[in-house]
Amino acid sequence: MKSLHRSIFILAILLASSAACSADFSGQWALSVENPEHHIVATLKVEFTNEKAASCMGGEWKVLKVISAMTKDKNFFPAADPLSYQIEGGKLTIGRNEVCDAYLWLQGALGGVSVRGDYFRLGLGGTTPLGYFDLRQAK
């Protein structure tokens, strides 16, 4: 009986890790962007598409469709600009990639039911931290 419980436990772990690695972003997602003090400044409802996105950055970028957006500061996060995303090396990157050398990125590790990570500016001078983000399936 003990080995049956152990087998079920191992199977559950394998299924959970497989689901986390598959990065299924179907449906709508709620995206919250926070300032450095962890106060939410912008909230968006988004959909991940398979449509190729325009980008100054190399790699395979796809269109992130913004369904709705609310912000307390329109200059904090570019919710009105075209956004794209990339999944690479176990990380999700969402960003404004059509303004060359003035990228604004959200980046976090995959591996659960939500993605949390950092919000930063990336340009010729390196990176500048701007805050954090949280992404989870919309209800």
Side-chain angles (χ1 to χ4, degrees):
M1 189 67 156
K2 204 178 219 180
S3 67
L4 176 63
H5 287 275
R6 182 174 296 156
S7 297
I8 292 171
F9 178 72
I10 290 170
L11 179 61
I13 289 173
L14 288 173
L15 289 173
S17 64
S18 171
C21 292
S22 69
D24 177 14
F25 287 107
S26 59
Q28 294 187 349
W29 289 76
L31 173 63
S32 301
V33 185
E34 307 168 356
N35 66 13
E37 291 78 35
H38 291 283
H39 297 142
I40 296 173
V41 178
T43 56
L44 297 82
K45 187 174 283 188
V46 298
E47 287 182 354
F48 292 83
T49 75
N50 285 319
E51 181 184 339
K52 184 177 168 120
S55 175
C56 297
M57 282 300 269
E60 302 239 354
W61 293 91
K62 296 180 181 176
V63 172
L64 183 70
K65 181 179 176 185
V66 177
I67 306 301
S68 64
M70 293 183 3
T71 184
K72 296 176 182 175
D73 178 357
K74 66 179 182 168
N75 296 316
F76 180 71
F77 182 75
D81 292 354
L83 298 175
S84 56
Y85 75 96
Q86 178 182 58
I87 297 172
E88 185 177 75
K91 288 184 181 179
L92 169 67
T93 304
I94 295 172
R96 180 184 72 188
N97 294 307
E98 291 185 27
V99 180
C100 302
D101 299 324
Y103 309 103
L104 294 172
W105 278 7
L106 307 172
Q107 190 172 68
L110 300 173
V113 294
S114 67
V115 180
R116 285 197 56 77
D118 297 312
Y119 173 38
F120 57 96
R121 176 178 293 116
L122 175 66
L124 295 175
T127 61
T128 304
L130 300 173
Y132 307 94
F133 80 97
D134 181 75
L135 176 74
R136 58 188 65 242
Q137 187 91 45
K139 296 180 180 176

